[in-house]
Amino acid sequence: MRFFTRIWVCFCLFASPVIISGCLDDSNGNGTGTTTPTTSAPKISDLSPPVTDNCASSKIQLKHPDNTIVEFETIQSAINSAKSHDQVQVPSGTWNELVRIEKKEHLSILSSCMAQVTGFRVSKSEDVKIEGFRIVGTGSSGHGVELTGGETSNDGILITKNEITKVATGYNGIMIGSQAEGLQLSENFIHDNSGNGIFFVDSGSGEKDDED
C-alpha cells in the first residue's frame, strides 16, 4: 500500500480525479503552509439550494426537497433518517459526535455558523457535501474527516469551507482512502494537527512512500 504525505503528489500519482482547490494546509505533519493551485473540477451535482440560516436554533433540521423540515436532537439521527436530495442543517454550538455517513446519496450536511463537531466518517456514499464545520477530532475519535477506500469507497464527495484542527495524535486532518472517484476539496483551513493535514492512501504496488 502506498502512502503520500504531500498534498501536491495526488495530481501526478493519483489515478482517480481528485481536486484540491484553495485548501490551506499548515499542519505539523507536512507543514507546507501553501495553497494548492486550482485545476478543472469534475462535475459535482448541485445537491440543494443554499442553506437556511438556523444558527439560533437548538435543533438539527432535516430539510426535504419539498421544504418540509423535521427536527432532531443529534446530527447522527438526522443523517440516519435522511433520504436522497435531503439537507441536514446544523446550528451553532458544540456537537460531540463522530458522524458516520454510510450508503447515502445526494445529501448535504451544512452549517452556516461553523458548528463544532468531532469528525466525519464517510463510506459507500455518492454526491455528499460537508460544508461549514469546525472539526476538532478528540481522543481516539480518529481522523477529522475520513473517506474510506476499497470496497467501501465513495464517489463525488465535496468537502468545503471547513476548519479542521487539533485532531488527535496519530490521526490526520483528512484521510482519503483508495478509489476516491470525483473527490473535491475546496477552501478548507487545516491547521495545528499533530499528523498530516491531508493524507492519501493509494492501493497500488504494496509499497510505502514517505516523503518529508
Side-chain angles (χ1 to χ4, degrees), residues 26-42:
D26 195 19
S27 296
N28 295 333
N30 50 26
T32 58
T34 58
T35 302
T36 305
T38 301
T39 63
S40 298

Side-chain angles (χ1 to χ4, degrees), residues 162-179:
N162 302 287
E163 180 185 10
I164 305 174
T165 186
K166 303 186 187 305
V167 173
T169 301
Y171 297 100
N172 305 294
I174 302 177
M175 167 68 87
I176 301 170
S178 60
Q179 303 174 30

Side-chain angles (χ1 to χ4, degrees), residues 23-103:
C23 294
L24 179 60
D25 179 3
D26 195 19
S27 296
N28 295 333
N30 50 26
T32 58
T34 58
T35 302
T36 305
T38 301
T39 63
S40 298
K43 187 178 188 304
I44 294 181
S45 56
D46 184 9
L47 301 180
S48 52
V51 64
T52 302
D53 186 357
N54 68 324
C55 290
S57 175
S58 61
K59 304 285 188 181
I60 310 295
Q61 295 183 345
L62 178 61
K63 185 176 181 180
H64 300 303
D66 63 359
N67 291 323
T68 58
I69 292 176
V70 182
E71 293 188 331
F72 293 86
E73 297 290 336
T74 66
I75 303 173
Q76 190 65 65
S77 59
I79 295 291
N80 293 346
S81 297
K83 306 297 183 184
S84 182
H85 298 287
D86 280 352
Q87 184 182 91
V88 176
Q89 302 175 0
V90 182
S92 60
T94 298
W95 304 85
N96 296 315
E97 298 184 55
L98 175 57
V99 182
R100 300 180 184 275
I101 304 165
E102 183 174 1
K103 296 180 180 179

